[in-house]
Amino acid sequence: MSETTEPRPARAAEGTPSPTEREPRRSTDVARSGSSDVATQEKPRKRVKSERAKAETRLGWMLAGPAFVLMLLVTVYPILQAVFDSLFSFRLTAPDDREFVGLANYGVILTDGVFWYDLGITLLITVITVAVELVLGFALALVMNNAIRSLRGPLRTAILVPYGTITVVSAFAWFYAFDINTGYINSWFSWLPFISEDTAWFGSTAPALFVIMASEIWKTTPFISLLLLSGLAQVPGELTEAAKVDGATWWERMSKVILPNMKAAIMVAVLFRALDAFRIFDNIFIMTNGAYGTETLSLLAYRTSIGRLEIGMGSAVSVVLFLCVILISFIAIKGFKVDLAGRGGGK
Amino acid sequence: MKSSGKNTGVWIVIAIVVFIYALFPIASILANSFKKGSEFAGSGTFLPKEPTFENYASLFIGDAKDLFVPALINSLGITLIATAISVVLATFAAYAIARLDFPGKRIILTSALAVSIFPVISIVTPLFNLWRQIGLYDTWLGLILPYLSLTLPISIYTLTAFFQQIPWDLERAAQVDGATNWQAFTKVIVPLAMPGVFTTAIIAFFIAWNDFVYGISLTSTSAARPVPAALAFFTGASQFEEPAGAISAAAIVVTIPVIIIVLLFQRQIVSGLTQGAVKG
């Protein structure tokens, strides 16, 4: 369009062979402000650029916006609602007795022994599972990394099976294996001093937690080990070779060359898994439903709000759980940053 | 020659240990699924004494049919719709983040990360209340929406990491060679991007298929309850009979498709998972 209304025919003729967007615009600008050549060339270019940038921003948000808005809508809105609800004494069984109580719900939670016990159990599970998974996952990563070629594919496939298995299915598998009625573990391992035919794994805290953590570890170690495997792949091969030539032992190569170079991957794996483990729910719900001292914060939140319909109190537990997760990620990210800076300085 | 032969032996032993570790619980529940109800009463064996298909029969044509079949349909439908929505939206978003230069890219990636660490149980309490008020409780849409909070962040991360590796210059080169914008996009970029989109869809499907908390909290009947949640509420033919056989069979039915996907696409899944988490 603008090309046909071009005031200067010479320009228009020039533009025709390759009609790009920029050409006509620039020529109209030239026509409008024909003072000095330098000025006309600089000004329009700037304007064109900023318009392009604007268009790009618009397109960017048009494309990314829906996903962004939807993500916020399904998470930020509910958590704000939870913060609001947590300030009320509100039970679904008596909806008319809704009463503003300020921070009283939080006061109740923080002075209740059950909360602190559940927090302790949650932290215990998080620390133990992540520590075991890190060691086990690293061993698996080494196996996958160093295996002879023909075994790599099958090993990786096998490792993905626990990752793909539904947590609830894994929970049932472990539950039925250990359960006193359906299980075979007792009869298989009755030669061990602390196991007999009638060992009730789900009758007291420690053994129940053991099975819960075992199933959690089985299910999620593959994820950590895949992350560590990709971390291993990023360690420069020359470094390990050089250390080998210099006569470093396996342990020295591991602790002085390989592990320090994998710090970023390890930190990411630990952070992801710790946050995940802190939210543990499915396993415990299936195996004990929080009985025998195996309740975690997630189960407490569920039991309070959806089990007992105490929306106000349940929301407060949810908010506290959320704050714990933020605190953990804050600490981890702080640690991660320091580590990254150290690495950058070394390079 | 000799040492490599010895190495092979060692590796086979290690591989067997890894295989047992990875597959044993699945084998265990598979064995359970062929046991008769009476075998669960304290017999304590791994393999079924008289293998039977009656557990599977009860799921599809027997007394567990009304519980299991609707749950399976719910799971498939809800999971596939949630996967499709999040992959389409994440593809647009990841394309914009990888290809265009605009303020706010960081914000989108950071909030995706923040959403992915959200404790599901913290969101579920307000949703439970809200869904009851606006009529989304116990409906497909009432699960699809929260599932997006699980699948969107990882889809955006995985796809962005993937798109950042696509050589976008090829698109420009095609345009120079006379292709239109649309031709350049569909003929050059789409084929390069498809594997990433596909991988992301698989991972998103796994995550939604795995959900339990939303499933048990936001549904109450077979109208929307997905399989993992339905498993938790299975009861036997009698109140006093452990429905372990039926639950095991149902567990196998929902695990087999996942294992087939894993077997077919293990290479893509591994690269997608690690790219999204480490490089994203």
Side-chain angles (χ1 to χ4, degrees):
Chain A
M1 272 297 274
S2 64
E3 257 174 288
T4 48
T5 55
E6 194 60 51
R8 284 206 265 182
R11 274 281 181 181
E14 236 179 73
T16 33
S18 66
T20 62
E21 271 180 29
R22 210 178 296 170
E23 202 55 41
R25 224 182 267 150
R26 189 188 284 162
S27 48
T28 41
D29 280 334
V30 170
R32 216 174 284 149
S33 62
S35 53
S36 96
D37 256 45
V38 186
T40 48
Q41 288 235 322
E42 258 181 9
K43 249 191 191 168
R45 209 180 273 162
K46 229 181 188 176
R47 229 188 79 189
V48 166
K49 220 178 190 178
S50 78
E51 248 168 46
R52 278 208 130 195
K54 259 189 210 158
E56 204 160 315
T57 304
R58 221 174 14 245
L59 181 63
W61 274 103
M62 255 170 58
L63 290 171
F68 181 68
V69 170
L70 209 58
M71 240 170 16
L72 295 189
L73 213 65
V74 290
T75 47
V76 173
Y77 172 70
I79 200 74
L80 291 177
Q81 183 71 41
V83 172
F84 179 75
D85 285 341
S86 71
L87 304 175
F88 290 85
S89 165
F90 176 35
R91 308 177 64 130
L92 268 190
T93 44
D96 299 331
D97 295 348
R98 193 188 170 106
E99 188 196 341
F100 182 78
V101 293
L103 296 175
N105 285 333
Y106 293 96
V108 171
I109 293 169
L110 296 177
T111 52
D112 195 319
V114 172
F115 168 78
W116 292 104
Y117 180 84
D118 290 0
L119 177 65
I121 292 290
T122 313
L123 286 174
L124 182 79
I125 292 176
T126 306
V127 169
I128 293 181
T129 55
V130 173
V132 174
E133 282 172 25
L134 203 56
V135 175
L136 201 57
F138 191 66
L140 280 174
L142 281 180
V143 165
M144 286 190 281
N145 195 42
N146 299 325
I148 49 177
R149 187 151 300 185
S150 54
L151 277 177
R152 279 184 198 180
L155 279 174
R156 237 177 9 185
T157 311
I159 282 297
L160 276 174
V161 168
Y163 169 77
T165 306
I166 299 175
T167 317
V168 171
V169 169
S170 128
F172 273 120
W174 287 81
F175 176 78
Y176 288 143
F178 281 86
D179 184 59
I180 197 163
N181 289 317
T182 57
Y184 48 84
I185 295 290
N186 279 348
S187 53
W188 279 15
F189 293 99
S190 54
W191 49 274
L192 283 170
F194 48 89
I195 296 177
S196 69
E197 284 289 349
D198 51 357
T199 303
W201 291 88
F202 301 103
S204 56
T205 312
L209 281 180
F210 171 80
V211 184
I212 287 165
M213 288 193 278
S215 75
E216 174 82 358
I217 289 166
W218 175 76
K219 159 91 177 107
T220 50
T221 299
F223 178 70
I224 228 170
S225 108
L226 290 174
L227 289 189
L228 294 177
L229 180 63
S230 82
L232 266 180
Q234 285 165 8
V235 176
E238 313 91 72
L239 281 185
T240 340
E241 278 307 308
K244 211 173 186 176
V245 170
D246 289 348
T249 62
W250 181 85
W251 178 248
E252 281 169 343
R253 289 202 303 269
M254 202 48 79
S255 61
K256 298 221 168 96
V257 180
I258 296 180
L259 285 180
N261 272 293
M262 287 176 63
K263 255 185 186 161
I266 295 173
M267 286 305 292
V268 170
V270 168
L271 174 60
F272 271 75
R273 274 302 308 143
L275 291 173
D276 216 27
F278 196 81
R279 299 175 283 183
I280 185 169
F281 182 86
D282 312 15
N283 281 334
I284 304 177
F285 187 92
I286 296 295
M287 292 197 206
T288 63
N289 199 4
Y292 306 110
T294 56
E295 191 173 71
T296 59
L297 284 188
S298 286
L299 274 115
L300 178 66
Y302 178 84
R303 182 165 63 92
T304 317
S305 48
I306 287 147
R308 289 163 48 196
L309 302 176
E310 292 189 34
I311 300 296
M313 190 67 77
S315 298
V317 178
S318 303
V319 172
V320 170
L321 180 64
F322 177 58
L323 292 178
C324 289
V325 166
I326 290 184
L327 187 70
I328 293 178
S329 24
F330 182 76
I331 293 169
I333 287 168
K334 274 278 172 218
F336 187 42
K337 275 224 173 102
V338 169
D339 165 51
L340 271 187
R343 258 162 58 98
K347 271 180 187 170
Chain B
M1 208 47 203
K2 227 180 196 174
S3 75
S4 92
K6 193 181 151 205
N7 266 336
T8 312
V10 171
W11 276 113
I12 286 172
V13 173
I14 293 176
I16 289 172
V17 172
V18 174
F19 281 137
I20 290 176
Y21 168 82
L23 305 178
F24 192 77
I26 299 296
S28 165
I29 206 144
L30 184 68
N32 274 350
S33 74
F34 292 112
K35 283 182 188 165
K36 284 200 157 133
S38 55
E39 277 191 57
F40 285 107
S43 60
T45 53
F46 176 76
L47 287 173
K49 284 179 198 118
E50 308 161 53
T52 166
F53 279 100
E54 68 185 26
N55 294 318
Y56 290 94
S58 90
L59 288 183
F60 291 103
I61 48 176
D63 28 290
K65 184 183 73 176
D66 295 338
L67 258 171
F68 183 72
V69 175
L72 193 61
I73 294 168
N74 289 337
S75 262
L76 273 173
I78 295 170
T79 308
L80 286 175
I81 294 172
T83 303
I85 294 175
S86 61
V87 168
V88 169
L89 291 183
T91 305
F92 289 144
Y95 174 81
I97 293 167
R99 181 73 207 281
L100 306 172
D101 193 24
F102 64 101
K105 275 158 80 157
R106 284 267 117 213
I107 298 173
I108 295 171
L109 283 176
T110 313
S111 49
L113 188 66
V115 167
S116 70
I117 64 166
F118 247 80
V120 167
I121 203 85
S122 292
I123 311 178
V124 101
T125 305
L127 281 185
F128 172 72
N129 201 15
L130 180 69
W131 273 193
R132 293 173 76 96
Q133 284 164 18
I134 63 176
L136 281 180
Y137 184 74
D138 206 21
T139 64
W140 276 31
L141 187 62
L143 278 187
I144 291 170
L145 284 177
Y147 277 12
L148 294 177
S149 75
L150 303 173
T151 53
L152 263 178
I154 191 151
S155 302
I156 291 177
Y157 257 87
T158 313
L159 271 173
T160 304
F162 196 88
F163 280 5
Q164 270 159 357
Q165 293 176 341
I166 289 183
W168 294 101
D169 292 342
L170 284 180
E171 190 189 20
R172 239 159 268 149
Q175 282 171 8
V176 169
D177 287 349
T180 63
N181 280 339
W182 180 247
Q183 280 175 334
F185 183 72
T186 53
K187 294 264 165 65
V188 179
I189 297 304
V190 169
L192 283 173
M194 272 326 280
V197 173
F198 185 69
T199 305
T200 307
I202 292 177
I203 293 172
F205 181 84
F206 276 3
I207 288 172
W209 193 245
N210 190 28
D211 161 74
F212 180 66
V213 178
Y214 287 133
I216 57 165
S217 310
L218 302 178
T219 65
S220 59
T221 66
S222 59
R225 178 166 284 162
V227 175
L231 286 182
F233 295 108
F234 259 27
T235 45
S238 141
Q239 276 293 315
F240 303 102
E241 193 182 304
E242 183 99 30
I247 289 179
S248 302
I252 289 299
V253 171
V254 294
T255 306
I256 294 297
V258 171
I259 290 185
I260 291 173
I261 295 174
V262 163
L263 289 176
L264 290 178
F265 305 111
Q266 44 103 2
R267 194 173 288 274
Q268 288 92 318
I269 297 169
V270 169
S271 73
L273 273 179
T274 48
Q275 271 174 10
V278 176
K279 291 176 196 156

